[in-house]
Amino acid sequence: MTSDCPQKLHVCERKTRVRHRSRFGCRNCKLRKLKCDEVKPQCRKCRLYGVLCNFISNVPDLHPVAACADTKPLVVRGRGLQCRPSRPLSKAVWTSDASGSYYYFLNAKCQDFITRYLGRSLITPDDPNMAQVNRKLLELAFACPFLMHASLAVALTYDRYLNGLDSSFGGRRTAEECYHWSQATILLNKRLAKPIEEEDKDPIWGTAAALVILTFSSPASDPRTPQQAWPLSSSASPCSDLDLDWLRMTKGKMALWHMLDPLRPGSIFCVMADTFATMRSPSPRSGIDGIPDAMAAICNLDHSSTPETNPYFEAAHAVSAILDIPDNKVTLGHTQLFTRSIHGHFEDLLRRRDAIALLLLYLWYRKVGRCIWWIELRARVECPSIELFLRRYYGRNGDVLAFLPGGCVCGELELAGYLNA
């Protein structure tokens, strides 16, 4: 009797032993009925088994690592990363933010965009200072997911622009663009809800700039014809916020200036000091010096005009300031002179599709759309729409029509080297 007790006790213990399972383990371990150690991005069981760990949904179950990469998967974490890939990265790349609380997987297509555009400036491709900033932003992107998503979205948009050069509208936004754009916005908003550390300032400014580019280059209505684009598309809602959504984003970015101070010592944007100086240069206080006579006349400007007495004053000066600059010399700073003029009464006139305000925007598009690719994407859409709108609703106004293609003023400006068809 006594000899049976140990055996019965052993059986009892075996029956009552509780097996603890991993609650947040990867699907591979669950399929194999193993306890996952939940180490991210690659748990020990998956690493030993030779499969790509799939704790996130876009990785297939039991997918061999060898099928995804020619080399060992690369895991990138934390700040201070010196990432300067000179060849295409491994096809299996995991990366995370500095805290390790957010992980994401860079598939082969994303890595192709990273390596293809490394060393280039996607904002103004011929600007060496912007190319330098772009390289440093890429390094920061591996530790800042919101910047990585924003960079990928801009790269995808630029690729769409290149593929649509033969198209008058440049193609529609892709699902990948929208995904990375959305993720960048969500993650940046979460980051802005927390105290801003010194090392966060450059990534946040870079992401804000990217979001402005994405908003500007992608009209909200995603039109396919001029009739579907603003201002023709919004006749029922003359003050719609979606019409000038890019303007709201631009103002939001500049609201971060004092918080982030992109020109502070040590900022990667210090090399853009001249661009920022041009962008923030004040407009004249009075007069019409530099404004073509025909433009001054249609805007009702004279030598006594000031920003307070004429709503077109700043915009007319901003457009005139860039008309005689060669296209290959136009910088990002030059383009922002006009966008900074859109405020107060002039902004209200533009939202209400006033003929003169639309004409100034049209002339700005005609110039900078040939110089900056992401402005060209919107100019392709809105320039023909503005022209049709002005011809349809202001067709009897010979002064307005004179600035449109075929008009006498337009021809004079082209001959003077101001505008090229």
Side-chain angles (χ1 to χ4, degrees), residues 232-254:
L232 279 176
S233 64
S234 307
S235 57
S237 54
C239 297
S240 172
D241 289 337
L242 292 179
D243 295 339
L244 296 173
D245 52 352
W246 58 269
L247 182 59
R248 175 177 54 83
M249 286 298 301
T250 300
K251 291 181 176 180
K253 172 195 166 187
M254 295 311 297

Side-chain angles (χ1 to χ4, degrees), residues 203-238:
I204 289 175
W205 183 258
T207 303
L211 292 178
V212 170
I213 291 173
L214 292 169
T215 305
F216 194 100
S217 61
S218 306
S221 59
D222 205 9
R224 299 304 300 269
T225 66
Q227 288 77 10
Q228 296 172 344
W230 184 84
L232 279 176
S233 64
S234 307
S235 57
S237 54

Side-chain angles (χ1 to χ4, degrees), residues 188-413:
L188 179 62
N189 285 335
K190 288 182 178 179
R191 186 64 196 85
L192 290 175
K194 302 176 182 178
I196 304 300
E197 305 295 340
E198 184 67 21
E199 61 268 22
D200 297 316
K201 292 182 178 180
D202 285 345
I204 289 175
W205 183 258
T207 303
L211 292 178
V212 170
I213 291 173
L214 292 169
T215 305
F216 194 100
S217 61
S218 306
S221 59
D222 205 9
R224 299 304 300 269
T225 66
Q227 288 77 10
Q228 296 172 344
W230 184 84
L232 279 176
S233 64
S234 307
S235 57
S237 54
C239 297
S240 172
D241 289 337
L242 292 179
D243 295 339
L244 296 173
D245 52 352
W246 58 269
L247 182 59
R248 175 177 54 83
M249 286 298 301
T250 300
K251 291 181 176 180
K253 172 195 166 187
M254 295 311 297
L256 296 173
W257 179 277
H258 295 294
M259 182 192 306
L260 304 177
D261 188 12
L263 295 181
R264 70 191 186 282
S267 170
I268 67 174
F269 297 99
C270 282
V271 296
M272 297 181 61
D274 291 342
T275 297
F276 286 130
T278 302
M279 183 186 305
R280 297 168 66 85
S281 59
S283 62
R285 294 307 306 158
S286 63
I288 55 174
D289 288 347
I291 299 180
D293 292 342
M295 186 183 297
I298 199 170
C299 293
N300 198 28
L301 292 166
D302 57 34
H303 292 288
S304 64
S305 298
T306 67
E308 292 73 28
T309 61
N310 190 302
Y312 308 115
F313 181 90
E314 292 181 284
H317 273 284
V319 172
S320 300
I322 62 173
L323 290 181
D324 58 349
I325 300 176
D327 291 354
N328 60 353
K329 300 295 184 182
V330 173
T331 68
L332 189 62
H334 292 130
T335 69
Q336 300 303 300
L337 290 173
F338 178 77
T339 58
R340 284 180 53 241
S341 73
I342 306 178
H343 61 84
H345 192 187
F346 180 74
E347 180 179 346
D348 184 60
L349 289 171
L350 192 59
R351 290 186 181 278
R352 294 182 179 279
R353 303 192 299 283
D354 169 76
I356 309 305
L358 284 175
L359 182 60
L360 290 172
L361 176 62
Y362 174 84
L363 295 174
W364 180 75
Y365 274 145
R366 286 282 301 272
K367 176 64 178 182
V368 299
R370 298 194 306 273
C371 312
I372 310 292
W373 68 268
W374 48 273
I375 295 180
E376 182 188 346
L377 273 176
R378 182 174 284 261
R380 292 181 190 178
V381 172
E382 291 190 1
C383 255
S385 184
I386 292 174
E387 182 181 339
L388 286 174
F389 183 90
L390 293 176
R391 292 188 184 279
R392 178 180 299 179
Y393 296 106
Y394 297 92
R396 296 182 180 181
N397 189 329
D399 292 337
V400 171
L401 297 183
F403 283 86
L404 302 180
C408 60
V409 174
C410 182
E412 291 174 1
L413 291 174

Side-chain angles (χ1 to χ4, degrees), residues 69-277:
D70 299 327
T71 60
K72 184 178 179 181
L74 172 65
V75 179
V76 185
R77 291 197 187 116
R79 299 192 183 276
L81 173 70
Q82 298 298 315
C83 178
R84 300 179 185 274
S86 58
R87 58 183 176 80
L89 298 171
S90 162
K91 294 181 182 178
V93 177
W94 296 89
T95 187
S96 72
D97 62 5
S99 66
S101 60
Y102 183 89
Y103 292 86
Y104 55 103
F105 176 73
L106 295 178
N107 60 27
K109 186 172 184 179
C110 289
Q111 293 169 65
D112 172 57
F113 281 114
I114 290 173
T115 55
R116 191 192 313 176
Y117 297 122
L118 178 65
R120 298 193 61 188
S121 165
L122 294 187
I123 298 178
T124 47
D126 297 326
D127 187 338
N129 289 332
M130 279 305 307
Q132 178 181 335
V133 170
N134 192 63
R135 287 192 294 269
K136 292 183 177 180
L137 283 175
L138 179 63
E139 297 173 15
L140 294 173
F142 281 91
C144 302
F146 53 83
L147 178 57
M148 177 64 82
H149 283 296
S151 301
L152 288 170
V154 172
L156 286 161
T157 304
Y158 185 60
D159 206 60
R160 171 164 58 88
Y161 162 78
L162 293 178
N163 291 332
L165 284 177
D166 296 331
S167 168
S168 59
F169 274 61
R172 289 199 166 197
R173 294 190 298 271
T174 65
E176 291 163 299
E177 278 181 72
C178 296
Y179 168 75
H180 288 294
W181 184 356
S182 172
Q183 288 296 106
T185 303
I186 292 170
L187 294 174
L188 179 62
N189 285 335
K190 288 182 178 179
R191 186 64 196 85
L192 290 175
K194 302 176 182 178
I196 304 300
E197 305 295 340
E198 184 67 21
E199 61 268 22
D200 297 316
K201 292 182 178 180
D202 285 345
I204 289 175
W205 183 258
T207 303
L211 292 178
V212 170
I213 291 173
L214 292 169
T215 305
F216 194 100
S217 61
S218 306
S221 59
D222 205 9
R224 299 304 300 269
T225 66
Q227 288 77 10
Q228 296 172 344
W230 184 84
L232 279 176
S233 64
S234 307
S235 57
S237 54
C239 297
S240 172
D241 289 337
L242 292 179
D243 295 339
L244 296 173
D245 52 352
W246 58 269
L247 182 59
R248 175 177 54 83
M249 286 298 301
T250 300
K251 291 181 176 180
K253 172 195 166 187
M254 295 311 297
L256 296 173
W257 179 277
H258 295 294
M259 182 192 306
L260 304 177
D261 188 12
L263 295 181
R264 70 191 186 282
S267 170
I268 67 174
F269 297 99
C270 282
V271 296
M272 297 181 61
D274 291 342
T275 297
F276 286 130

